[in-house]
């Protein structure tokens, strides 16, 4: 049975087994490598993981997070992809969150080897690949390109 998308949190304790497990992934590189799992936090990163079709075995969220209009579709998309949705208190989420101010949603994501896209393969063969996202200062682009040459 799928948990409710809002309402009473199912997990209240910071000592709950799910909270302890996510905390172990967030705090131990060795554990992440061993399980081939990592923690992604926030609406943007969870959305990007879903868009990239990264398997998300578990998604934790607070009832307060569902007030943001983009969270419900994220939870629905995760559920459709087979994720276990766990509604938690803000305190429980804070206990396993790697950030200082959690956004109310985080996911455990699988990672593994992926084939590089053709353009990246070509750039890698030549020795330099620069990938930029949301650059705010165009001057930084030139600095990055010069540093890579």
């Amino acid at each position: 049975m799928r948990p409710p998308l809002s309402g009473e949190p199912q997990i209240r304790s910071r000592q709950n087994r799910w909270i302890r497990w996510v905390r172990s992934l967030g705090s131990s590189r060795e554990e992440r490598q061993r399980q081939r799992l990592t923690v992604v936090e926030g609406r943007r990163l969870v959305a990007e993981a879903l868009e990239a079709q990264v398997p998300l075995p578990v998604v934790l969220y607070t009832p307060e997070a569902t007030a943001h209009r983009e969270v419900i579709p994220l939870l629905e998309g995760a559920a459709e992809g087979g994720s276990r949705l766990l509604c938690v208190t803000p305190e429980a989420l804070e206990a396993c969150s790697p950030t200082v101010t959690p956004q109310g949603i985080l996911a455990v994501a699988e990672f593994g080897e992926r084939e590089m896209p053709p353009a990246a393969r070509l750039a890698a063969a030549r020795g330099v690949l620069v990938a930029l996202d949301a650059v705010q200062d165009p001057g930084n682009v030139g600095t990055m390109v010069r540093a890579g040459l």
Side-chain angles (χ1 to χ4, degrees):
M1 179 177 188
R2 192 174 93 182
L5 295 180
S6 62
E8 285 297 308
Q10 295 176 312
I11 297 176
R12 298 176 182 283
S13 172
R14 299 167 71 100
Q15 298 306 313
N16 176 278
R17 67 184 177 98
W18 291 103
I19 302 301
R20 288 193 329 258
W21 176 62
V22 174
R23 185 173 39 231
S24 75
L25 293 173
S27 64
S28 171
R29 182 175 193 268
E30 294 80 22
E31 194 62 22
R32 287 190 299 274
Q33 291 293 329
R34 186 180 73 73
Q35 294 190 41
R36 308 293 295 162
L37 298 169
T38 193
V39 177
V40 294
E41 181 166 10
R43 296 181 299 273
R44 180 175 164 220
L45 291 179
V46 172
E48 288 177 2
L50 287 169
E51 185 177 321
Q53 298 179 342
V54 172
L56 303 176
V58 176
V59 176
L60 281 69
Y61 67 96
T62 63
E64 293 82 2
T66 62
H68 296 278
R69 62 180 159 78
E70 63 270 6
V71 170
I72 296 296
L74 292 178
L75 294 173
E76 291 171 343
E80 288 171 12
S83 300
R84 176 185 293 251
L85 303 182
L86 299 173
C87 186
V88 302
T89 62
E91 295 77 22
L93 188 73
E94 185 179 312
C96 63
S97 170
T99 62
V100 176
T101 310
Q103 291 186 26
I105 184 170
L106 66 78
V108 173
E110 293 180 12
F111 65 86
E113 301 298 320
R114 291 189 175 221
E115 187 173 326
M116 290 184 355
R121 226 181 283 121
L122 176 63
R126 293 184 181 164
V128 176
L129 173 64
V130 178
L132 307 172
D133 180 41
V135 176
Q136 295 179 10
D137 182 355
N140 291 338
V141 176
T143 301
M144 287 183 249
V145 171
R146 285 189 299 277
L149 297 178

